Amino acid sequence: MSAVSDRLPTFPWDKLTPYKATAAAHPDGIVDLSVGTPVDPVPELIQKALVTAADSPGYPTVWGTPELRDAITGWVERRLGARDVTHRHVLPIVGSKELVAWLPTQLGLGPGDRVAFPRLAYPTYEVGARLARAACEAYDDPTELDPEGLKLLWLNSPSNPTGKVLGKEELTRIVAWARAHGVLVFSDECYLELGWEADPVSVLHPDVNGGSYDGIVSVHSLSKRSNLAGYRAAFLAGDPAVLGPLLEIRKHGGMMTSAPTQAAVVAALGDDEHVRVQRERYAARRALLREALLAHGFRIEHSEASLYLWATRGESCWDTVAHLAERGILVAPGDFYGPAGAQFVRVALTATDERVAAAVRRL
């Protein structure tokens, strides 16, 4: 067991414990803007679908029900502009973090193979490479990477933590480069429906991929857009030549979304109104926090999409974390996402209106 755990970095969130204690001691209580976990109610129509399917004594299938696959293919075509998407182009997964952590292993990668991800990135990309004993490296521009031995290229737009969005032309250029060098592209698009000052585009859009899904897979989650983080509901869409073998591997591993969750996802993907309502909540909180941070002396970079503000005071991120913790506000230090974030903090929009108002007053 230790041989596996020794490959991994220290779990970053444990380092926040003393700062969380400081923030929690504030007379008016903590405002937790660190992890980015949803706090708003699960929409009623989704709860009803879950309850209706609660009497599910049998095992669910890894590939999901035909109704679930219909819902995913329909959403991918309606929302992302993808064309000719069939059941072979989609695969339900048990939350997107599980997929990110175990994908290199399920792809059969190992020593001698390389995995690449953005310079500032969700730390689980690196964890997945380490679990598979593959080499990993961060990039600024993936097309400047040495393609030799590069087996998996992670894209993330909108970005966690920065909120940066890759434009259509840039995505097109990267996909073309990856295909020319036989590099598999996985595009983490979990925040795609939360664009504020930009309109995020999927690698599944025909303007990006030329109408072909060869060598590309997109990752989508219902955690943020539908407040379903507690349901563990996500899916993949893209190249059937990649998803087919993954389906077989995941069958052997028993990686199946629960039957009630599958029914809830069908309801969630079939309704756009609850997404609009949730977007409006986040937009209002974002406007308040952004104005307060700027007035407090912060500079905000990127942040044109996603659920975070990427902010700096031009000092060590840990000094900023301590400064805000003394005011009862907990944020994530930028170096959780790579050395390039050493002077930034990630401020999540995932707090109630009352807690956001409290943070604004304190700032």
Side-chain angles (χ1 to χ4, degrees):
M1 289 294 294
S2 63
V4 176
S5 62
D6 287 348
R7 296 181 213 156
L8 305 180
T10 302
F11 187 63
W13 296 101
D14 292 343
K15 300 177 185 178
L16 266 187
T17 300
Y19 301 93
K20 186 173 185 177
T22 298
H26 191 280
D28 185 37
I30 188 173
V31 179
D32 192 342
L33 306 177
S34 61
V35 177
T37 186
V39 298
D40 298 304
V42 173
E44 187 174 351
L45 84 160
I46 300 175
Q47 292 190 47
K48 285 182 176 179
L50 185 84
V51 171
T52 300
D55 186 14
S56 298
Y59 290 111
T61 64
V62 173
W63 202 17
T65 62
E67 293 78 14
L68 174 59
R69 283 176 262 139
D70 282 343
I72 295 173
T73 57
W75 182 86
V76 166
E77 291 192 339
R78 184 180 80 251
R79 180 62 186 83
L80 305 184
R83 298 174 186 163
D84 302 320
V85 181
T86 71
H87 286 195
R88 294 175 56 249
H89 292 90
V90 300
L91 178 62
I93 53 177
V94 191
S96 57
K97 184 169 185 176
E98 166 264 305
L99 182 279
V100 173
W102 294 107
L103 178 64
T105 298
Q106 292 175 6
L107 290 174
L109 306 189
D113 298 322
R114 292 164 50 233
V115 177
F117 43 79
R119 181 79 56 197
L120 285 163
Y122 185 46
T124 311
Y125 302 136
E126 178 180 351
V127 167
R130 287 175 176 256
L131 285 170
R133 296 183 177 176
C136 56
E137 59 189 279
Y139 64 77
D140 294 308
D141 180 346
T143 66
E144 295 177 357
L145 292 167
D146 179 0
E148 182 66 30
L150 181 60
K151 298 297 178 65
L152 174 60
L153 173 64
W154 278 107
L155 304 181
N156 181 209
S157 175
S159 163
N160 174 16
T162 70
K164 181 180 180 180
V165 172
L166 297 176
K168 187 180 292 185
E169 290 184 1
E170 190 169 7
L171 284 172
T172 302
R173 178 177 64 85
I174 293 169
V175 167
W177 177 87
R179 284 174 168 167
H181 295 285
V183 178
L184 176 61
V185 173
F186 263 69
S187 180
D188 183 346
E189 302 174 354
C190 289
Y191 296 92
L192 185 135
E193 292 195 277
L194 296 167
W196 313 116
E197 297 160 4
D199 187 13
V201 179
S202 172
V203 294
L204 300 184
H205 195 286
D207 288 353
V208 172
N209 61 44
S212 167
Y213 302 116
D214 291 350
I216 55 172
V217 177
S218 66
V219 184
H220 292 272
S221 167
L222 285 83
S223 293
K224 307 303 193 294
R225 47 101 67 193
S226 299
N227 299 331
L228 296 189
Y231 284 45
R232 309 316 300 134
F235 59 89
L236 305 178
D239 190 347
V242 177
L243 299 187
L246 280 180
L247 172 60
E248 296 306 313
I249 292 166
R250 295 170 68 84
K251 284 180 182 178
H252 284 290
M255 292 178 168
M256 42 191 148
T257 305
S258 76
T261 296
Q262 292 188 30
V265 171
V266 172
L269 292 179
D271 178 74
D272 294 331
E273 176 60 18
H274 78 275
V275 180
R276 184 193 65 79
V277 170
Q278 189 60 44
R279 274 181 52 87
E280 289 185 355
R281 289 188 185 120
Y282 285 137
R285 293 166 186 165
R286 178 181 183 271
L288 290 170
L289 285 169
R290 187 177 188 279
E291 182 178 352
L293 288 166
L294 291 172
H296 196 75
F298 281 88
R299 185 178 83 253
I300 295 173
E301 290 192 1
H302 300 303
S303 307
E304 58 259 30
S306 84
L307 278 184
Y308 312 104
L309 293 168
W310 188 240
T312 181
R313 299 204 312 163
E315 63 185 6
S316 163
C317 60
W318 289 100
D319 289 343
T320 305
V321 169
H323 171 81
L324 292 174
E326 290 168 0
R327 287 151 181 80
I329 302 169
L330 189 67
V331 298
D335 67 4
F336 277 12
Y337 308 95
Q343 291 193 337
F344 285 80
V345 293
R346 192 194 73 169
V347 183
L349 310 179
T350 51
T352 64
D353 293 343
E354 184 274 331
R355 287 290 83 189
V356 168
V360 169
R361 286 195 301 271
R362 297 173 196 179
L363 290 167

